[in-house]
Amino acid sequence: YLVTPELVGRDALREQLRRQLQLACSGRGSALCLQGEAGVGRSRLLDVCVLDAKTLGMATLRASVTSAEPLATAFALADLLRETLALPGLQQMFPELFDAAPPAGALPANDVRADARTPFKRPASPAQEAALVDALARLFSTASKLHALLVAVDDIQRIDAPSAALLVQLADRSPASRICVLLSADPDSAGGSSLALAALTRRCQLLKLPALTAQETHALLGSVFGDVANLPLLARELHALGQGNPGQSLALAQHLIDGIDRDQIKTLL
């Protein structure tokens, strides 16, 4: 299998995002959305930004939208928050969030393990759903006063409406808080709630990931194969076939490797 390639052609975007993370640490957060087609590197850049945030001392909450169930992404982020920061007394501060306390006598009420084991309440009506979203937003805001937060969510084009509503609230609060909301989306992919997604992206600074140049595709493949004799030819052909999409270029390279034996690989390269 091909080794993980270097991040190529995204230096300017990465630096821009790192500046936003630094501003969030000082109380001037922001909401940003990485946009681009499948394979262009949205998830990879999101992961690199998560690592950059960790080096800045931020608490990082990284989730992918994998379910359209109402509040699925919101609850996933909230679970990450209470696991990452181990905030005590959440049930006392936000009783409307929780279904029931742990079994009597299991743990003290202010023990962080009690909060971590208590399930979130499942809304039975639109009014309860809205109240839960508001409470979750206040939870994140409270946590950000104790620790700068990066809330990173991949593939928001599939997000459910209540979870989008939570991210809308966090985006609205971000300029005066230590919260940076960083999202990624394929704007051409169907799914999720279109109205909720539109409301969310309107609140974000949109950062489009362009296709790689021929030189950048050469550098990408060079990070995988090394400085081999036929790299310029290989890079030129894969760049043309993949139209500068790094994911497609790497998939084509993997397909090429899978289809020939080791001796042919030596000849090819």
Side-chain angles (χ1 to χ4, degrees):
Y1 295 96
L2 298 182
V3 298
T4 302
E6 295 178 0
L7 184 68
V8 171
R10 307 296 183 226
D11 290 348
L13 270 177
R14 182 179 181 182
E15 182 56 33
Q16 181 178 355
L17 292 167
R18 186 174 178 83
R19 287 197 299 270
Q20 294 301 319
L21 295 174
Q22 291 170 330
L23 288 172
C25 289
S26 64
R28 293 176 291 168
S30 58
L32 310 105
C33 182
L34 305 173
Q35 289 193 328
E37 64 181 347
V40 79
R42 291 179 285 110
S43 301
R44 182 69 193 282
L45 183 55
L46 195 74
D47 288 337
V48 168
C49 289
V50 168
L51 291 176
D52 286 343
K54 289 180 178 179
T55 65
L56 294 171
M58 301 179 74
T60 59
L61 314 175
R62 203 282 196 201
S64 296
V65 179
T66 57
S67 172
E69 180 183 350
L71 288 168
T73 301
F75 283 150
L77 289 168
D79 277 331
L80 287 171
L81 178 66
R82 60 181 179 173
E83 290 170 9
T84 301
L85 295 184
L87 301 171
L90 290 183
Q91 293 180 70
Q92 287 70 42
M93 296 171 62
F94 302 96
E96 64 272 42
L97 282 177
F98 297 99
D99 222 356
L107 290 168
N110 63 346
D111 194 305
V112 296
R113 293 171 294 169
D115 290 323
R117 295 180 187 180
T118 306
F120 289 113
K121 186 178 294 183
R122 299 293 167 173
S125 67
Q128 287 186 5
E129 189 174 83
L132 277 170
V133 169
D134 290 343
L136 286 168
R138 288 188 284 107
L139 167 61
F140 278 79
S141 292
T142 299
S144 71
K145 295 174 183 176
L146 304 174
H147 211 111
L149 300 178
L150 170 63
V151 179
V153 184
D154 201 10
D155 289 328
I156 63 163
Q157 71 274 3
R158 299 197 292 259
I159 199 166
D160 62 275
S163 294
L166 170 63
L167 293 175
V168 164
Q169 288 207 36
L170 296 183
D172 285 342
R173 297 173 186 224
S174 63
S177 73
R178 295 200 294 168
I179 299 176
C180 180
V181 178
L182 179 58
L183 314 172
S184 86
D186 180 352
D188 299 323
S189 178
S193 170
S194 57
L195 291 177
L197 181 61
L200 181 54
T201 53
R202 279 199 304 270
R203 287 162 166 82
C204 294
Q205 178 183 352
L206 303 181
L207 304 173
K208 186 170 178 58
L209 274 67
L212 298 183
T213 64
Q215 184 177 4
E216 288 167 344
T217 300
H218 183 281
L220 175 71
L221 295 172
S223 72
V224 174
F225 294 111
D227 188 18
V228 292
N230 290 328
L231 179 62
L233 175 61
L234 180 67
R236 185 167 61 251
E237 294 298 325
L238 293 184
H239 176 77
L241 290 170
Q243 298 182 320
N245 183 300
Q248 291 183 21
S249 295
L250 289 170
L252 288 166
Q254 183 69 66
H255 180 72
L256 181 64
I257 296 301
D258 290 342
I260 58 179
D261 60 34
R262 185 174 299 178
D263 290 335
Q264 289 176 308
I265 292 175
K266 292 179 180 178
T267 302
L268 172 68
L269 300 177

